[in-house]
Amino acid sequence: MEENIIKTEYSEIMQKSYIDYAMSVIVSRALPDVRDGLKPVQRRTLYDMHELGIRYDKPYRKSARIVGDTMGKYHPHGDASIYDALVVMTQEFKKGLPLIDGHGNFGNIEGDGAAAMRYTEARLEKITQDGLLADLDKDVVDFQSNFDETEKEPGVLPAKFPNLLVNGSEGIAVGMATSIPPHNLGEIIDATKAYMKNEQISTRELMRYVKGPDFPTGGIVTNKDDLAAIYRTGIGKIKIRGKVELEKGKGGKTNVVISEIPYTMIGANISKFLSDVAALSESKKTADIVDISNQSSKEGIRIVIELRKDADAQNFVNMLYKKTRLEDTFGVNMLAICEGKPETMGLKQIIKSNVEFQIQVATRKYTNLLEKEKEKREIQEGLIKACNVIDLIIEILRGSKDRATVKKCLVEGVTEGIRFKSRESEIMAAQLMFSERQANAILDMRLYKLIGLEIEALIKEHEDTIANIYRYEDILSRRDSMIQVLINELDVLKKEFARKRRTVIENCEEAVYEEKKPEEMELIFLMDRFGYAKTIDPATLERNKEAVYGESRFVFPCKSTGKICVFTNRGQLHTIKVSDLPYGKFRDKGVPIDNVSNFSSAREEIVLVTNQTELNLYRVVFVTRQAMLKIVDGGEFDVSKRTVSATKLGEEDQVVSVYVLKDRTNIVLRTKGGYFLRFPLSEIPEKKKGAIGVRGMKLGAGDYVEEVYYTANSADAYLPYKDKEINLNSLKLGKRDTKGTKIRG
């Protein structure tokens, strides 16, 4: 076999392949179709249930049966995606109008997952059967081959209402995402009818009917004035709050009761909300909380926060809005597949697309019905005509040898090969001229149809057929008639399935929370050699002084309102609020510095931990391995950011010492090679924190500064070094940027 090598640009192949993949994800997986509001997996699951006959008025069937059949026939992408889609379509806390009636454990609003598919059962909801799957047998939508071309599936379901708006949708595709909130069925139907009556209607006029989203969890939309722009463009942010009520508790206490939550809080975010509220108390943001309990049940959400007797309940509620997800934002991006491509649409565009689709579906439906009625009329007229000359037809039947001869006589008037009783009968037979369809109906007609009542029923049926033909032709020829039919269907759906709005739409003032300033306390900061930090009160230090200083790497006083500064060998400064550190007993473990700051023990080492208040009063000396020195005013480190650069470092250099300069006059540098250099601190210039500094000592090849000591002229400073003691103040006082003196062990 001869090889066929195709030479092409690699980048072109990659570009084409990625575009093909992206469009496949966008169109065939992640985004809903604007016409029926469904993603392919949802559409296939509903259609499969329809084909299996699992209707709303039939018994439930195992979910595993539905999932397996859907996967085998229409969606060969794994059972998990199919079952997940089925579960979501049953959950009334996620969908404005559940499309599947689930029986068993299908999860709950608090984030517990559904039971395995072998345990749960499901069937279609009535709204799904009536509003999405009706008329599928009337050839109203195009069918396409499935993945292996053994079955046919609808490309879209004949939705009779804008399901995309009613149930909303969420999905992440390649480079784009959709996020459409659910709405109230009755309001969407009213808006759809209004558009049908006036296609020039504006978005603002449609909002007379659609007040805003209607989340199944209720809640309060607080930015009503922003909705007009969101519905016009299809993009924006909706602010939602939970519903809070204040109840009188025991002993004069006040209970804050949350009965409705923001839609974004469903699932694991409820437990996170509870932990966030508890954290407010633990971090001393509030001292008002006495108890928290989640009393939610099948009847609804009920989270109770008991406050102390003299608490400002409204201020506490405002704090919940500010500090937790009790007030949250729902990002709107109304992106859907329209005419085969993704498009961001506003409220009017979505309704318009659905109405146009409904008209297309109705046109196909009534065209097919009209053809069938015309066929019926033809047959009925033939039977009525046959009843009027039934004696002649019987004579033809009795005088013929076979069916073909009779049919030829009835259709073409050919009388050859037929025995007639008289010449007159033969002449009449030659003038019959029935159509092919009429002739077959006459030959298939049973004798009981000749009974008088049957003939009357046939005539009545013919009159009904004529009326239907007239009605269908009127619907197809006049848009007003078509629109009225669609409006009537919408009215039926609204009457049976619409329910009251659950979400309140209003303009709310932004929650104002007056944060009480914490009481300023004198504390002692402790950090052990493992990097665990905490604070204790001064009295605890006095009782455990020997153990505290023996077990701690850093010990110094601080205020509860202050900050702690952490200097690292990488030249970084990390700040920590004292209030973020645990306060308690000396033997409490504390918290790793990593957990309360941006410091990472995996990347850097701590050189100095000190109090920012103290830094503001003094100057700071920096020394690096490559003997670069500088003095910086401590006020430069009074920063609001959690992490800043404390000094500039040369390549492969790092900080060896950071020292708060108080009463020392000299500095001693000791290198790895045993060189000591003592000189006055006054020789080190003051620089900005962004400067690299000046050279403090000449280093030999491969040598570096290992230790730094600070001394005063008035006191001896002894240092153990290689089996002997050295008095640092007895070292010759040299000059900065000299080699120093080598001391041998």
Side-chain angles (χ1 to χ4, degrees):
M1 184 176 177
E2 187 178 347
E3 288 188 357
N4 183 22
I5 299 174
I6 300 173
K7 293 184 178 181
T8 185
E9 180 67 33
Y10 180 73
S11 61
E12 292 178 3
I13 290 289
M14 290 299 295
Q15 185 179 19
K16 182 180 183 303
S17 299
Y18 188 76
I19 290 173
D20 290 345
Y21 160 73
M23 287 307 297
S24 174
V25 172
I26 291 166
V27 177
S28 303
R29 191 188 309 174
L31 300 185
D33 193 300
V34 69
R35 295 171 294 177
D36 62 5
L38 299 172
K39 299 177 186 179
V41 64
Q42 296 172 322
R43 185 180 303 115
R44 288 165 175 167
T45 303
L46 295 177
Y47 177 67
D48 184 76
M49 294 177 72
H50 174 75
E51 287 296 286
L52 290 174
I54 313 174
R55 315 294 173 87
Y56 65 91
D57 54 352
K58 295 290 194 283
Y60 294 96
R61 296 281 288 277
K62 283 288 184 184
S63 299
R65 172 72 169 90
I66 299 166
V67 170
D69 201 66
T70 303
M71 184 167 63
K73 288 182 178 178
Y74 310 115
H75 197 77
H77 303 297
D79 56 359
S81 63
I82 301 171
Y83 188 53
D84 287 347
L86 186 151
V87 167
V88 170
M89 287 191 285
T90 68
Q91 293 175 330
E92 59 182 14
F93 53 85
K94 282 190 179 178
K95 292 294 181 183
L97 200 66
L99 301 177
I100 294 176
D101 179 9
H103 183 247
N105 177 15
F106 278 92
N108 59 35
I109 195 170
E110 295 185 39
D112 296 326
M117 66 180 81
R118 62 183 178 273
Y119 299 120
T120 59
E121 298 177 331
R123 65 183 177 188
L124 292 171
E125 288 278 8
K126 193 172 190 298
I127 180 64
T128 313
Q129 200 66 48
D130 294 352
L132 294 179
L133 295 163
D135 300 329
L136 265 178
D137 57 339
K138 295 182 175 62
D139 188 30
V140 293
V141 293
D142 293 331
F143 277 70
Q144 60 197 26
S145 297
N146 68 339
F147 61 93
D148 61 0
E149 298 188 351
T150 59
E151 302 280 347
K152 292 289 185 182
E153 61 174 313
V156 63
L157 297 185
K160 293 183 178 180
F161 63 94
N163 179 54
L164 182 64
L165 289 170
V166 173
N167 272 322
S169 185
E170 290 185 5
I172 300 174
V174 179
M176 58 185 68
T178 185
S179 180
I180 304 172
H183 293 79
N184 183 272
L185 175 66
E187 292 180 4
I188 294 298
I189 285 178
D190 288 341
T192 304
K193 288 162 55 179
Y195 174 81
M196 287 177 173
K197 294 174 183 177
N198 175 21
E199 293 185 1
Q200 305 305 315
I201 192 170
S202 67
T203 300
R204 190 168 289 276
E205 288 172 324
L206 284 173
M207 289 183 65
R208 294 177 184 172
Y209 308 97
V210 181
K211 308 301 181 185
D214 188 22
F215 297 106
T217 54
I220 303 167
V221 170
T222 63
N223 57 332
K224 180 179 179 181
D225 289 345
D226 296 339
L227 295 181
I230 293 173
Y231 283 129
R232 186 177 66 256
T233 62
I235 299 173
K237 292 181 179 179
I238 295 173
K239 294 180 181 178
I240 46 179
R241 286 180 183 174
K243 186 178 179 182
V244 178
E245 298 168 350
L246 301 179
E247 295 180 356
K248 288 184 178 180
K250 296 179 181 178
K253 296 175 183 175
T254 302
N255 290 342
V256 174
V257 180
I258 300 163
S259 56
E260 294 177 6
I261 60 173
Y263 185 64
T264 52
M265 199 195 282
I266 58 177
N269 286 324
I270 293 181
S271 59
K272 186 179 185 308
F273 168 75
L274 294 172
S275 63
D276 287 346
V277 174
L280 292 174
S281 181
E282 292 171 3
S283 62
K284 302 181 179 64
K285 291 284 192 301
T286 178
D288 294 339
I289 301 174
V290 175
D291 187 35
I292 310 167
S293 60
N294 185 2
Q295 302 173 11
S296 304
S297 64
K298 291 181 179 180
E299 282 67 43
I301 291 291
R302 182 177 170 83
I303 298 171
V304 180
I305 304 172
E306 186 180 347
L307 304 183
R308 60 183 174 82
K309 194 172 182 180
D310 57 342
D312 184 343
Q314 191 55 55
N315 191 54
F316 177 80
V317 171
N318 288 344
M319 181 184 68
L320 293 182
Y321 288 145
K322 285 287 188 182
K323 303 285 187 181
T324 72
R325 296 189 70 170
L326 189 60
E327 179 175 275
D328 208 354
T329 299
F330 183 95
V332 177
N333 185 20
M334 298 204 285
L335 181 72
I337 302 299
C338 181
E339 297 180 358
K341 62 181 185 295
E343 185 176 341
T344 301
M345 294 174 283
L347 175 66
K348 182 179 177 180
Q349 289 171 284
I350 294 176
I351 291 175
K352 176 185 177 183
S353 297
N354 182 262
V355 169
E356 289 175 351
F357 174 62
Q358 286 189 55
I359 291 173
Q360 292 173 9
V361 168
T363 300
R364 286 181 63 163
K365 172 184 175 180
Y366 288 108
T367 299
N368 294 333
L369 289 176
L370 179 61
E371 290 302 315
K372 289 181 180 179
E373 291 298 313
K374 286 182 176 179
E375 289 177 11
K376 283 172 63 177
R377 180 183 65 181
E378 181 183 346
I379 292 170
Q380 289 164 354
E381 288 176 348
L383 292 176
I384 291 171
K385 179 180 175 183
C387 288
N388 292 333
V389 290
I390 191 63
D391 293 336
L392 176 61
I393 290 174
I394 291 172
E395 189 174 338
I396 295 170
L397 289 168
R398 296 183 67 180
S400 301
K401 294 180 179 180
D402 52 36
R403 181 185 178 101
T405 304
V406 177
K407 188 173 179 180
K408 201 167 186 179
C409 177
L410 293 175
V411 175
E412 302 174 14
V414 178
T415 58
E416 294 177 5
I418 302 175
R419 298 190 310 275
F420 290 95
K421 292 181 180 179
S422 63
R423 177 63 180 165
E424 183 181 6
S425 295
E426 185 175 358
I427 294 170
M428 291 175 64
Q431 299 173 355
L432 288 176
M433 296 302 177
F434 287 97
S435 69
E436 184 91 15
R437 192 177 283 114
Q438 289 174 335
N440 286 329
I442 291 168
L443 291 172
D444 293 338
M445 183 176 67
R446 298 188 178 185
L447 287 176
Y448 79 88
K449 289 287 185 182
L450 300 176
I451 300 171
L453 290 176
E454 288 292 329
I455 294 173
E456 288 180 14
L458 177 62
I459 293 171
K460 177 68 171 63
E461 186 180 342
H462 179 250
E463 291 173 354
D464 292 342
T465 301
I466 296 296
N468 286 339
I469 290 172
Y470 174 79
R471 177 167 166 263
Y472 297 157
E473 286 178 339
D474 180 62
I475 291 171
L476 291 169
S477 61
R478 292 178 59 242
R479 183 179 177 85
D480 289 348
S481 298
M482 173 73 76
I483 293 300
Q484 190 56 52
V485 168
L486 297 178
I487 287 175
N488 292 342
E489 290 179 349
L490 289 172
D491 285 337
V492 171
L493 292 176
K494 180 183 176 182
K495 183 177 180 181
E496 186 168 359
F497 302 108
R499 55 187 175 191
K500 290 182 179 179
R501 161 174 283 280
R502 287 172 283 199
T503 300
V504 177
I505 310 293
E506 58 186 38
N507 285 313
C508 297
E509 293 183 5
E510 186 174 352
V512 177
Y513 164 56
E514 294 181 6
E515 191 166 358
K516 295 179 181 177
K517 291 184 179 180
E519 184 181 346
E520 190 171 82
M521 297 169 54
E522 292 288 341
L523 300 172
I524 304 297
F525 172 86
L526 307 180
M527 194 187 88
D528 63 21
R529 63 183 183 277
F530 301 109
Y532 281 80
K534 59 180 176 285
T535 58
I536 60 174
D537 63 69
T540 303
L541 173 63
E542 289 299 320
R543 290 194 302 270
N544 303 275
K545 186 173 289 188
E546 185 176 346
V548 167
Y549 284 102
E551 299 175 17
S552 303
R553 182 179 174 189
F554 294 101
V555 181
F556 54 81
C558 62
K559 294 186 183 297
S560 59
T561 56
K563 289 183 180 179
I564 303 298
C565 293
V566 180
F567 293 91
T568 75
N569 64 330
R570 298 294 181 186
Q572 297 293 303
L573 166 64
H574 304 289
T575 60
I576 306 167
K577 289 182 178 180
V578 174
S579 58
D580 290 340
L581 296 169
Y583 168 78
K585 300 176 182 178
F586 167 58
R587 290 300 174 190
D588 290 345
K589 191 173 184 180
V591 63
I593 287 290
D594 305 51
N595 292 5
V596 289
S597 69
N598 292 333
F599 169 77
S600 171
S601 56
R603 298 192 305 269
E604 50 192 343
E605 297 175 5
I606 295 174
V607 176
L608 174 70
V609 180
T610 188
N611 186 348
Q612 190 177 66
T613 305
E614 187 175 74
L615 282 179
N616 290 339
L617 302 175
Y618 300 99
R619 299 185 300 162
V620 182
V621 182
F622 284 84
V623 182
T624 74
R625 278 169 62 101
Q626 295 176 4
M628 301 304 293
L629 286 72
K630 69 176 179 181
I631 294 178
V632 181
D633 186 282
E636 288 202 38
F637 303 111
D638 191 354
V639 294
S640 57
K641 293 183 178 179
R642 295 187 68 190
T643 299
V644 296
S645 178
T647 185
K648 186 177 181 181
L649 292 172
E651 189 175 349
E652 296 185 1
D653 199 4
Q654 56 182 278
V655 176
V656 175
S657 170
V658 180
Y659 183 75
V660 180
L661 196 55
K662 297 180 182 177
D663 55 357
R664 297 295 188 258
T665 53
N666 300 323
I667 182 170
V668 180
L669 306 181
R670 179 177 69 79
T671 72
K672 178 70 174 175
Y675 283 89
F676 284 74
L677 176 61
R678 173 174 170 256
F679 60 90
L681 283 162
S682 59
E683 292 190 18
I684 304 175
E686 187 169 320
K687 301 276 187 179
K688 293 293 185 182
K689 71 177 191 298
I692 198 168
V694 297
R695 191 167 70 173
M697 185 178 186
K698 290 181 179 178
L699 299 174
D703 205 3
Y704 59 87
V705 175
E706 188 173 50
E707 289 289 347
V708 182
Y709 311 102
Y710 302 89
T711 66
N713 290 328
S714 59
D716 291 335
Y718 288 94
L719 168 74
Y721 179 69
K722 291 187 178 181
D723 301 327
K724 62 181 179 180
E725 272 196 336
I726 300 171
N727 184 356
L728 295 177
N729 278 339
S730 67
L731 295 172
K732 179 183 176 182
L733 192 64
K735 294 284 187 181
R736 181 181 63 80
D737 200 20
T738 56
K739 193 169 183 179
T741 304
K742 185 174 179 70
I743 297 180
R744 302 184 184 278

